[in-house]
Amino acid sequence: AADSLLTMNERENAVRSYIADLSGQIAIESLRGDVETEQKRAKTAESKLAEDARETSVKACLESISHATTLNALESRVDEQARQEETEAIHGWMEAITLRVEAKALQNELKNTRNGMER
Protein backbone atom coordinates (compact mmCIF):
# COMPACT_ATOMS: atom_id res chain seq x y z
CA ALA A 1 0.00 0.00 0.00
CA ALA A 2 2.87 2.38 0.81
CA ASP A 3 4.46 1.50 -2.50
CA SER A 4 1.26 2.19 -4.33
CA LEU A 5 0.86 5.50 -2.39
CA LEU A 6 4.40 6.50 -3.32
CA THR A 7 3.76 5.58 -6.87
CA MET A 8 0.52 7.52 -6.75
CA ASN A 9 2.41 10.57 -5.36
CA GLU A 10 5.10 10.16 -7.99
CA ARG A 11 2.46 9.95 -10.70
CA GLU A 12 0.67 12.99 -9.30
CA ASN A 13 3.96 14.90 -9.16
CA ALA A 14 4.82 13.79 -12.66
CA VAL A 15 1.39 14.95 -13.92
CA ARG A 16 1.78 18.30 -12.10
CA SER A 17 5.27 18.68 -13.53
CA TYR A 18 3.96 17.85 -16.99
CA ILE A 19 1.09 20.37 -16.60
CA ALA A 20 3.58 23.00 -15.38
CA ASP A 21 5.79 22.30 -18.39
CA LEU A 22 2.79 22.58 -20.72
CA SER A 23 1.72 25.82 -19.02
CA GLY A 24 5.24 27.18 -19.45
CA GLN A 25 5.30 26.19 -23.11
CA ILE A 26 1.87 27.78 -23.66
CA ALA A 27 3.07 30.98 -21.96
CA ILE A 28 6.23 30.99 -24.10
CA GLU A 29 4.19 30.48 -27.30
CA SER A 30 1.83 33.24 -26.22
CA LEU A 31 4.79 35.56 -25.61
CA ARG A 32 6.24 34.65 -29.00
CA GLY A 33 2.90 35.56 -30.57
CA ASP A 34 2.90 38.85 -28.65
CA VAL A 35 6.46 39.56 -29.78
CA GLU A 36 5.57 38.80 -33.42
CA THR A 37 2.49 41.02 -33.18
CA GLU A 38 4.55 43.87 -31.73
CA GLN A 39 7.22 43.39 -34.41
CA LYS A 40 4.52 43.62 -37.10
CA ARG A 41 3.12 46.77 -35.46
CA ALA A 42 6.61 48.27 -35.27
CA LYS A 43 7.26 47.52 -38.95
CA THR A 44 3.89 49.01 -39.90
CA ALA A 45 4.61 52.12 -37.84
CA GLU A 46 8.10 52.37 -39.35
CA SER A 47 6.65 52.08 -42.87
CA LYS A 48 4.04 54.72 -42.06
CA LEU A 49 6.73 57.05 -40.70
CA ALA A 50 8.87 56.53 -43.80
CA GLU A 51 5.86 57.20 -46.04
CA ASP A 52 4.98 60.31 -44.03
CA ALA A 53 8.59 61.48 -44.28
CA ARG A 54 8.56 60.98 -48.06
CA GLU A 55 5.24 62.78 -48.33
CA THR A 56 6.54 65.66 -46.20
CA SER A 57 9.70 65.80 -48.32
CA VAL A 58 7.67 65.87 -51.54
CA LYS A 59 5.42 68.60 -50.11
CA ALA A 60 8.48 70.62 -49.08
CA CYS A 61 9.97 70.22 -52.58
CA LEU A 62 6.70 71.27 -54.23
CA GLU A 63 6.45 74.26 -51.90
CA SER A 64 10.04 75.20 -52.70
CA ILE A 65 9.35 74.90 -56.43
CA SER A 66 6.22 77.02 -55.99
CA HIS A 67 8.20 79.71 -54.16
CA ALA A 68 10.92 79.64 -56.80
CA THR A 69 8.31 79.92 -59.56
CA THR A 70 6.66 82.83 -57.77
CA LEU A 71 10.02 84.54 -57.31
CA ASN A 72 10.87 84.03 -60.99
CA ALA A 73 7.50 85.47 -62.00
CA LEU A 74 8.04 88.49 -59.73
CA GLU A 75 11.57 89.00 -61.08
CA SER A 76 10.19 88.84 -64.63
CA ARG A 77 7.55 91.44 -63.77
CA VAL A 78 10.18 93.69 -62.19
CA ASP A 79 12.43 93.27 -65.25
CA GLU A 80 9.50 94.03 -67.57
CA GLN A 81 8.56 97.09 -65.51
CA ALA A 82 12.18 98.30 -65.62
CA ARG A 83 12.29 97.80 -69.42
CA GLN A 84 9.02 99.67 -69.79
CA GLU A 85 10.28 102.55 -67.65
CA GLU A 86 13.53 102.67 -69.66
CA THR A 87 11.54 102.73 -72.90
CA GLU A 88 9.34 105.52 -71.58
CA ALA A 89 12.43 107.46 -70.47
CA ILE A 90 14.02 107.04 -73.92
CA HIS A 91 10.80 108.24 -75.59
CA GLY A 92 10.80 111.22 -73.22
CA TRP A 93 14.41 112.05 -74.11
CA MET A 94 13.66 111.71 -77.82
CA GLU A 95 10.66 114.03 -77.46
CA ALA A 96 12.79 116.54 -75.52
CA ILE A 97 15.51 116.41 -78.21
CA THR A 98 12.89 116.84 -80.93
CA LEU A 99 11.43 119.83 -79.10
CA ARG A 100 14.91 121.33 -78.70
CA VAL A 101 15.65 120.83 -82.41
CA GLU A 102 12.29 122.40 -83.32
CA ALA A 103 12.92 125.29 -80.91
CA LYS A 104 16.39 125.81 -82.38
CA ALA A 105 14.91 125.75 -85.90
CA LEU A 106 12.27 128.30 -84.88
CA GLN A 107 14.97 130.48 -83.29
CA ASN A 108 17.00 130.32 -86.50
CA GLU A 109 13.92 131.08 -88.58
CA LEU A 110 13.09 134.02 -86.32
CA LYS A 111 16.68 135.24 -86.50
CA ASN A 112 16.65 134.95 -90.30
CA THR A 113 13.33 136.75 -90.47
CA ARG A 114 14.67 139.60 -88.30
CA ASN A 115 17.85 139.78 -90.39
CA GLY A 116 15.73 139.91 -93.55
CA MET A 117 13.58 142.72 -92.17
CA GLU A 118 16.61 144.74 -91.14
CA ARG A 119 18.04 144.67 -94.63
Side-chain angles (χ1 to χ4, degrees):
D3 274 344
S4 76
L5 246 182
L6 188 60
T7 308
M8 195 68 133
N9 281 339
E10 287 175 349
R11 285 182 190 161
E12 193 177 311
N13 286 339
V15 167
R16 283 188 183 148
S17 177
Y18 179 72
I19 290 173
D21 285 347
L22 283 178
S23 294
Q25 287 176 5
I26 290 170
I28 288 170
E29 289 301 317
S30 175
L31 287 174
R32 280 188 188 142
D34 291 347
V35 167
E36 288 173 3
T37 300
E38 286 305 314
Q39 285 175 338
K40 287 177 186 175
R41 283 185 190 161
K43 284 182 182 178
T44 301
E46 185 179 326
S47 295
K48 177 74 172 123
L49 284 174
E51 184 178 329
D52 289 349
R54 282 190 298 274
E55 188 175 311
T56 300
S57 177
V58 167
K59 284 180 183 177
C61 286
L62 290 175
E63 190 173 321
S64 178
I65 289 168
S66 175
H67 288 315
T69 302
T70 301
L71 284 175
N72 285 341
L74 288 173
E75 286 174 356
S76 293
R77 279 193 231 149
V78 167
D79 289 346
E80 181 58 34
Q81 181 69 29
R83 279 192 290 278
Q84 187 175 355
E85 288 173 5
E86 283 177 6
T87 301
E88 288 173 6
I90 289 170
H91 286 296
W93 294 333
M94 289 171 62
E95 189 175 323
I97 290 170
T98 301
L99 288 174
R100 283 185 192 149
V101 167
E102 288 175 0
K104 189 68 171 172
L106 286 173
Q107 281 178 342
N108 286 338
E109 190 177 322
L110 182 60
K111 187 178 180 183
N112 289 340
T113 303
R114 279 188 191 154
N115 286 341
M117 289 174 118
E118 288 176 4
R119 289 185 194 162

